[in-house]
Amino acid sequence: MKRCVFIQAHVCIEHRSEICICSFRLMRKLRGLVRQFPVNYSLNTRASKMEVMADDYETETQDILKPLVFRLHENAPAIVREVLLERGWTEFDQKEQDDTDWNLYWRNSPFRMTDHHSIKPWQRLNHYPEAVRITRKDYLARNLKRMKGAYGSALYEFSPVAFIMPNDYVKFIAEYSKERQSVGRRPSYWICKPVDLSRGRGILIFQDIKDLVYDCTVIVQKYISNPLLISGYKLDLRLYVCVTSFCPLTIYTYEEGLVRFATEKFDLGSLDNVYAHLTNTSINKYGASYKKYKEGIGCGCKWTFSKFRSYLRIFGVDDLLLWQKINNIVILTLLAVTPLPVASNCFELFGFDILIDDKFKPWLLEVNYNPALCLDCSIDDTVKRRLLHDIVELLNYKEIDTLRQNEMAGSKAVRRRVPWRTAGPSTPEEAPGLLTCRKVATSNSASPVQPAPKAARGSIHKVASLTKKTVRAHPRKTLTSQLREKMNRPKTSSQAKNEDKNKLPAVHSPCSSAQLNHWLPTPDFRNCKISTHPYFLSDKDQRPIRRVGDFVLIFPFNEAALQASRDGTDVKSIIKEINKLVSKQLLSKQQNTKKRVGYLTSV
Ligand code: ADP
């Protein structure tokens, strides 16, 4: 069928010098829009008003790959924008674009439940509802205490004993007095932290109760007074953990991360010296020694995990065992808040603060909501930039997600407002997880394609205004960069037809590197059926993708754990599996004990 239409594309270009830079991309973009509208075209980039002649009505809409679109709430970290622009994404323009015309919404505060309910298959939100259950210090303490009661303190002894004040005042006094009265026992040190403050604000360390003062809800926690020291400096680990789903529970830890040092030597004789006792960068960067060269540490106050691992290996420390213990802490902590309300297409990036003591026992200090993504030094830049790139990869956007405008147009009459279920048979009506290519292709061909002109104008405007930034960047070969390349390369319809629907880049396939096998003791997901198609499952085997960049799947870690996390989380069975895992780890530790030499404590 042939017909003629006219389209007027109003191109907003503020600076004439940008016209040359963007004209090529603009042409390509318009070519894409023209195919989408669908028309033939003649373009004159020197004019701000373009007339496009319509012709070929049979152009295949699947060929059109628009840039992915991100939406940032105010105060979202600048690096998120930078990374997404590097990857060829464009920024959502509220005035120009339809409300649902975006792929990723990033904000520092929780989303409203209506945001969760109206989520579209092509969208992701960076917060899960009620994740705050483990990120507020008092909630975390309460949840871990409950787990200790239910599953035994042996498994949950990774968190220092804690009291929430003023509620637990009597209990605290009882514990404090008991310690004081026991002969030959050195009284503990305590740390008092406001429950809803971060970055080391309002923290107090004390030994004598007369020094304890507070004027808000605080948590009083046993102070780990024998931390691992490097050259006399205290350190802790900022571990990045990404939960791509709470139901079924799916947890990734990031192999790279930050070691954060105090900038003055540890000294129990000066409890009020924050530069010696707190490892927050937000505090230490203002210390007198921050910029100075510190023996054994260097300048600044950060190392990468890679450097830390090499350091441990030099001293014969089994870093693998340490990391296994840390992974167990992460899983057990997240189990304490599972299940959270079911919500689809969200993810949560947590910052776990782990302190290691001089016996190499890792302790969980707290879990951070919105771990800091500011760039204080070059190490931050290296770790956090890559982390964000890998998060975007983990979000597993598919080519189909770039077709959101077509889908929006097609689905306007039948708006989807269904959080996908995790159990039961999957029907098109009740499974608004990611659409398969086939589904969208069908919906496109079944309904006349009438994308909102408003949205189209917005896209053109964005491409024009962002081209400058985008051409400067040198993105790595990632799914989104490949999508972008593809978008810029017109395809023939026969090419499109011949493409395999599972043509994801290698990075999305499960990887079985030797390193990964260390992290996954029994990585076997072959015999499990999952009825829905959440974004974090691989197309190939419908199992959680085992590795994406430096993200490594730590839960589910075997078939039994996978089964127990589906259809409502069976915490009891999971704990049983973890107990088995811990026993195995202990056994291998005993076997290796003779080989290891604990030099590090004396360093
Ligand atoms: P904030 O949210 O204010 O950063 P944290 O719980 O992370 O609070 O504590 C800040 C710092 O204090 C940690 O990075 C760590 O160096 C130190 N710290 C906190 N709790 C303990 C503890 N129980 N034992 C030893 N050091 C601690």
Side-chain angles (χ1 to χ4, degrees):
M1 186 173 119
K2 303 238 173 186
R3 73 175 185 188
C4 267
V5 293
F6 280 92
I7 296 171
Q8 288 186 341
H10 296 271
V11 183
C12 309
I13 299 169
E14 281 159 22
H15 306 290
R16 281 197 159 268
S17 58
E18 280 189 343
I19 293 178
C20 297
I21 302 166
C22 74
S23 61
F24 182 60
R25 272 168 192 274
L26 192 55
M27 286 278 283
R28 284 192 301 222
K29 180 70 194 165
L30 283 169
R31 228 176 260 144
L33 285 171
V34 160
R35 265 194 246 115
Q36 177 189 337
F37 267 75
V39 287
N40 254 354
Y41 56 88
S42 63
L43 297 175
N44 178 355
T45 51
R46 274 172 297 177
S48 63
K49 192 191 247 182
M50 290 169 221
E51 289 185 353
V52 186
M53 293 295 296
D55 187 10
D56 183 3
Y57 195 54
E58 288 155 2
T59 309
E60 290 195 27
T61 53
Q62 299 96 300
D63 288 0
I64 304 144
L65 293 171
K66 299 179 193 70
L68 292 157
V69 173
F70 63 92
R71 185 172 178 178
L72 299 185
H73 192 247
E74 55 199 43
N75 301 332
I79 192 181
V80 175
R81 175 180 282 111
E82 275 176 39
V83 165
L84 291 164
L85 289 175
E86 270 175 32
R87 298 176 71 89
W89 287 48
T90 59
E91 186 161 359
F92 178 72
D93 184 336
Q94 202 149 12
K95 289 191 200 108
E96 296 287 336
Q97 285 170 266
D98 187 284
D99 255 5
T100 54
D101 190 12
W102 48 267
N103 298 95
L104 169 64
Y105 193 171
W106 191 291
R107 57 185 295 158
N108 280 353
S109 47
F111 290 95
R112 295 163 307 175
M113 277 322 280
T114 50
D115 293 324
H116 287 286
H117 289 152
S118 56
I119 193 84
K120 304 290 171 201
W122 58 85
Q123 297 177 331
R124 318 273 189 272
L125 303 175
N126 76 319
H127 291 299
Y128 216 87
E130 296 193 33
V132 71
R133 281 194 211 168
I134 52 165
T135 56
R136 231 180 87 148
K137 293 176 179 71
D138 50 341
Y139 295 171
L140 175 66
R142 205 168 289 141
N143 278 314
L144 292 179
K145 199 169 172 188
R146 184 177 47 78
M147 293 301 272
K148 261 184 203 171
Y151 301 104
S153 50
L155 208 53
Y156 274 89
E157 48 139 28
F158 56 79
S159 84
V161 172
F163 299 90
I164 300 160
M165 306 292 243
N167 283 3
D168 290 343
Y169 186 78
V170 175
K171 286 184 198 155
F172 172 64
I173 295 294
E175 173 72 21
Y176 177 85
S177 311
K178 199 172 89 191
E179 274 193 6
R180 290 262 154 173
Q181 282 155 15
S182 53
V183 188
R185 192 170 159 190
R186 234 182 55 199
S188 296
Y189 292 86
W190 300 89
I191 184 166
C192 169
K193 311 186 258 189
V195 294
D196 53 3
L197 286 186
S198 58
R199 291 180 271 136
R201 288 171 294 174
I203 289 184
L204 166 83
I205 302 167
F206 66 95
Q207 195 175 26
D208 193 324
I209 200 166
K210 73 174 170 20
D211 296 326
L212 171 62
V213 274
Y214 54 87
D215 57 4
C216 57
T217 308
V218 294
I219 174 173
V220 172
Q221 200 177 54
K222 218 161 232 186
Y223 186 64
I224 310 299
S225 55
N226 59 330
L228 172 68
L229 304 177
I230 295 186
S231 298
Y233 295 94
K234 177 177 172 179
L235 59 113
D236 75 358
L237 309 182
R238 165 57 55 87
L239 175 75
Y240 296 104
V241 173
C242 192
V243 177
T244 51
S245 161
F246 272 94
C247 191
L249 187 60
T250 311
I251 311 170
Y252 292 83
T253 50
Y254 203 58
E255 278 190 322
E256 195 50 284
L258 296 170
V259 179
R260 308 173 314 165
F261 287 95
T263 46
E264 288 184 20
K265 296 211 176 186
F266 186 73
D267 177 8
L268 284 170
S270 60
L271 293 181
D272 53 359
N273 183 357
V274 287
Y275 303 115
H277 290 278
L278 307 189
T279 49
N280 304 75
T281 310
S282 47
I283 288 177
N284 282 286
K285 68 182 177 187
Y286 298 111
S289 317
Y290 176 67
K291 288 193 179 144
K292 289 188 192 148
Y293 180 83
K294 294 171 280 303
E295 200 195 334
I297 308 294
C299 296
C301 67
K302 277 182 189 159
W303 280 8
T304 59
F305 279 3
S306 311
K307 183 164 175 178
F308 183 56
R309 282 194 184 100
S310 314
Y311 181 88
L312 293 178
R313 281 174 204 157
I314 291 171
F315 290 96
V317 177
D318 186 353
D319 65 299
L320 200 65
L321 183 69
L322 179 65
W323 248 261
Q324 279 170 345
K325 287 185 196 167
I326 292 173
N327 286 343
N328 293 346
I329 291 179
V330 171
I331 297 170
L332 289 164
T333 305
L334 289 164
L335 278 178
V337 291
T338 304
L340 287 183
V342 175
S344 59
N345 285 25
C346 359
F347 66 99
E348 193 75 52
L349 176 70
F350 293 109
F352 275 62
D353 288 350
I354 306 281
L355 184 124
I356 301 165
D357 70 17
D358 59 7
K359 310 224 164 27
F360 294 99
K361 176 181 161 62
W363 293 88
L364 175 71
L365 297 185
E366 70 154 346
V367 181
N368 289 276
Y369 190 76
N370 289 322
L373 291 174
C374 52
L375 307 182
D376 286 320
C377 58
S378 60
I379 292 171
D380 272 349
D381 197 303
T382 313
V383 172
K384 293 175 184 176
R385 193 174 294 277
R386 193 151 165 211
L387 169 79
L388 280 166
H389 274 289
D390 287 344
I391 286 176
V392 182
E393 294 291 352
L394 191 59
L395 296 181
N396 202 9
Y397 286 98
K398 309 193 177 177
E399 291 180 6
I400 204 73
D401 298 320
T402 65
L403 295 169
R404 64 195 172 278
Q405 286 174 2
N406 294 345
E407 169 63 13
M408 269 161 45
S411 67
K412 269 193 173 143
V414 196
R415 285 240 177 226
R416 289 162 185 272
R417 292 176 54 87
V418 205
W420 45 257
R421 296 158 37 142
T422 51
S426 165
T427 66
E429 292 76 32
E430 66 183 1
L434 279 188
L435 296 175
T436 62
C437 296
R438 202 175 297 283
K439 267 187 204 164
V440 169
T442 313
S443 91
N444 286 341
S445 56
S447 60
V449 180
Q450 295 168 341
K454 197 174 81 170
R457 266 207 313 279
S459 298
I460 293 170
H461 175 74
K462 278 286 151 193
V463 169
S465 61
L466 289 168
T467 302
K468 231 177 174 175
K469 287 175 195 159
T470 315
V471 291
R472 255 189 280 127
H474 303 284
R476 351 182 244 136
K477 282 268 178 190
T478 59
L479 171 65
T480 45
S481 65
Q482 288 175 22
L483 287 178
R484 188 165 183 85
E485 269 176 27
K486 258 187 171 168
M487 182 187 85
N488 294 337
R489 195 183 339 121
K491 274 189 294 186
T492 65
S493 57
S494 60
Q495 266 175 336
K497 272 177 197 154
N498 289 337
E499 276 174 303
D500 183 344
K501 69 173 178 176
N502 287 331
K503 58 194 169 213
L504 290 172
V507 72
H508 289 271
S509 310
C511 155
S512 55
S513 68
Q515 204 177 8
L516 175 57
N517 288 335
H518 286 152
W519 286 67
L520 279 172
T522 44
D524 179 12
F525 301 106
R526 274 164 305 188
N527 303 315
C528 175
K529 283 190 194 125
I530 288 180
S531 54
T532 53
H533 302 277
Y535 73 89
F536 52 87
L537 299 183
S538 88
D539 282 355
K540 203 171 152 204
D541 59 4
Q542 291 301 299
R543 301 286 184 273
I545 300 163
R546 289 194 203 159
R547 171 188 275 276
V548 176
D550 279 350
F551 275 111
V552 179
L553 180 74
I554 61 158
F555 189 89
F557 49 82
N558 65 13
E559 181 68 21
L562 177 67
Q563 293 292 354
S565 66
R566 293 177 55 215
D567 307 345
T569 312
D570 177 357
V571 178
K572 212 168 167 184
S573 303
I574 295 171
I575 297 276
K576 218 164 110 189
E577 286 305 309
I578 293 174
N579 269 320
K580 281 191 215 161
L581 200 67
V582 171
S583 313
K584 260 195 222 164
Q585 288 163 358
L586 281 177
L587 196 74
S588 79
K589 182 192 168 183
Q590 280 160 9
Q591 285 162 357
N592 291 335
T593 301
K594 286 176 198 157
K595 293 181 210 159
R596 291 196 293 117
V597 189
Y599 289 130
L600 197 65
T601 45
S602 57
V603 174

